[in-house]
Amino acid sequence: MKTMRLLNLLLVAVLAVTGVMSCGEKQEQTVGVRSDVDSVINDAHKRHDYARLLELADQYEASGQITNIQADYWRGYSYSRQRLMRLSEKYWKQAINAEIHNKEGMKYFAKSANRLSGALLLKGEYEATMKIATPALEKMSKAGYRDNSDFAYLLAAVGCCQLKMGSPDDASVNFEQSMDLFHKVIEKDPTKPIFTTAIVAVITITDNYLQMNRSQDAYNWTLRFMELLDTYKSLPNADSMFIDKQQARLDIYHASALQSMGNQKEAEQVYNNALKSKYIHTNEGKLEAINYLMSAHHWDEAAENFEVLDKQMNQYGMWVSMDIIQHYLLPKYRANKKAQRVEKAHKVSEQICDELDTAIVRMQRDAAMELTTIYNTQQKEKEIVEQKANMERQRSMAIILALTLIILFFIVLILIRRLSAKRLEKAYSQLAIANERTKESSRMKTSFIQHMSHEIRTPLNILSGFTQILTSSDVEELDEETRMNINEKIIENTDRITELVNKMLELSDVNSMTIIERSEKLSAVEIASKAIEAIENKEDATLPIRLEYNEEMEKTMLQTNEQSATRALVMLLDNAERFTKQGTILLKVEARDEHVAYIVEDTGIGIPASEAEHIFEEFVQLNEYEVGTGIGLTVARSICRRLGGDVTLDTSYTAGARFVMTLPLNE
């Protein structure tokens, strides 16, 4: 026992000597090399040499010239610029979970949290954004690291999430705090990068308000934009090109807000001011103006601006993904169609058809390549760990040999190796689990893309065929009836594509746990009447819908969300109509305990009792030959549950199908 205690004391002395020696060396080296390291990294950053940036992060981290958190931030930044978002999010998460020892570490923690929150917010993952941004703000507050643009932008990101998740008042508070802080930071450091960050935050807030149809709020924030830009203009070293670009962007968003408020003339005047700028005539500016042009129904100008889309994609090395098809090519087709550019619309529809399969294959290939890169980075990290272990081992051996403690060294080495083996075994186990989860996620994503591709391709092929007929030389030989039939088919399939895209957007909200605001009081019968009216107004409505209720139900009031409740009931009625070839659809309204029940009965093909829950899953269609996406029942149930109710199948009914939708009487 005494011998072991003596050995332990000697080991502590050795480690202390080692620490003093290494600290002395590092203190002498750090001051001299820090500026050089930052200079080299910033040079690679400015040259957009992201491969070099990754190499520098690995090299300087291995040599101890930069911290782990700083290296992970630059790795995440580099991968994000290469559109490898899985990897970028991985390293930013590592950065914000690392230990912070000084102000430099807090700086890169804030930058990583900002980047990660922005990436998640851009993907519409609002709950995930809140889980990153909120703890980051608390951590920065406790550390006294608040007066900076990263903290201000995180406040804006939290506000955007709150706005999307149904808390506009909380969002407004965070937006105001964000702008107050930006003004405070600008007073201390009125430089172009700070103004750029503040303007990006204002644009993000304005865009989110426009998406939520809160036109007045969007308009008010364009005034904030104007105030920021006026402040920058007053600086003695203001950049004229920067002013030209931001003034054009201000006018575009201002015009969009006015247009959505119904002030078309004023909106057009503001947009005409934007046309005086140089930026609006660049490819980037033309694309940014499209949202206003589409909302103002300036189809010819919108179609003309879309002509630069291919040039921009080539310039930035972008490939046609499903997002590009949805957000650019489909609106491009619509603009050309509305502008009566039949031949151009035909070419765009052909491009969409050609690119769909290519986009799917490319996404699958890139996902596989990204997984391979993740595996390679794991190997690289392992090599770095081994290099560090080797350096520590060599230093320990030299000291132990100098103090003749060879036996103690081998004992410590064995213990370290055992612990390392256990950690490696645990790490490999976690990696295997992560790989399995990634494969399952990729499979579900591929299934979703293939399903959407199939549903969109059919109407696009029909549109393409009719477009070829209309553009052929024999078009004048068609009689009026045939022309009318072609026109009806074009409208029908265009509406089908629009409906499919809308359903896909609704599907993105299915798994959300956000409770829908229930602040409207209305009659239970009124919801049923509006749902029936919506179905009967459809051009393809064929079956009558009979509404039954007693006199008491006319007096029964619900506190709910009218639009959401009606939408859910319309989906159930639409489902009944699609699967009922003849007969009548019955809608009954009854009071049940603390709920109101809407009972939809049809005389269609019916649903087996064994499928009572399966049919509410995403993309489930019992009849594969029936037209549809298989998400209507899924969305209807999601809406009702967030309203405090539910949708179920009554398996006791055998004359067809009977769905029961319930809504709570009180809030």
Side-chain angles (χ1 to χ4, degrees), residues 534-552:
I535 292 294
E536 291 178 344
N537 286 338
K538 292 171 55 179
E539 294 182 359
D540 56 348
T542 56
L543 299 177
I545 301 175
R546 191 169 81 252
L547 177 62
E548 288 185 5
Y549 58 90
N550 56 36
E551 294 181 357
E552 290 297 323

Side-chain angles (χ1 to χ4, degrees), residues 491-544:
I491 294 174
E492 176 186 339
N493 283 278
T494 301
D495 292 342
R496 182 176 171 188
I497 293 175
T498 302
E499 181 183 1
L500 180 63
V501 173
N502 289 336
K503 284 187 176 181
M504 291 303 104
L505 294 175
E506 287 180 324
L507 179 62
S508 67
D509 196 37
V510 165
N511 295 321
S512 173
M513 299 302 294
T514 306
I515 297 176
I516 300 174
E517 183 179 1
R518 294 179 279 158
S519 59
E520 301 170 330
K521 289 188 176 181
L522 67 160
S523 166
V525 177
E526 185 178 352
I527 292 176
S529 300
K530 290 189 176 182
I532 293 174
E533 182 181 354
I535 292 294
E536 291 178 344
N537 286 338
K538 292 171 55 179
E539 294 182 359
D540 56 348
T542 56
L543 299 177

Side-chain angles (χ1 to χ4, degrees), residues 25-55:
E25 292 174 356
K26 288 181 180 178
Q27 288 176 353
E28 292 176 359
Q29 294 174 358
T30 300
V31 175
V33 302
R34 173 62 65 186
S35 59
D36 293 337
V37 169
D38 291 340
S39 175
V40 173
I41 290 177
N42 288 328
D43 180 65
H45 172 228
K46 291 178 181 179
R47 290 187 289 103
H48 309 296
D49 190 350
Y50 304 118
R52 175 61 175 164
L53 198 56
L54 282 171
E55 180 182 346

Side-chain angles (χ1 to χ4, degrees), residues 388-406:
K388 289 184 177 180
N390 288 332
M391 291 174 64
E392 291 297 325
R393 189 182 303 116
Q394 292 172 5
R395 185 179 294 113
S396 299
M397 287 178 63
I399 297 173
I400 291 172
L401 287 172
L403 298 173
T404 67
L405 296 175
I406 299 176

Side-chain angles (χ1 to χ4, degrees), residues 40 64 221 354 372 458 463 484 590:
V40 173
W221 277 93
D354 292 338
T372 302
T458 300
L463 290 174
M484 291 293 292
E590 299 177 355

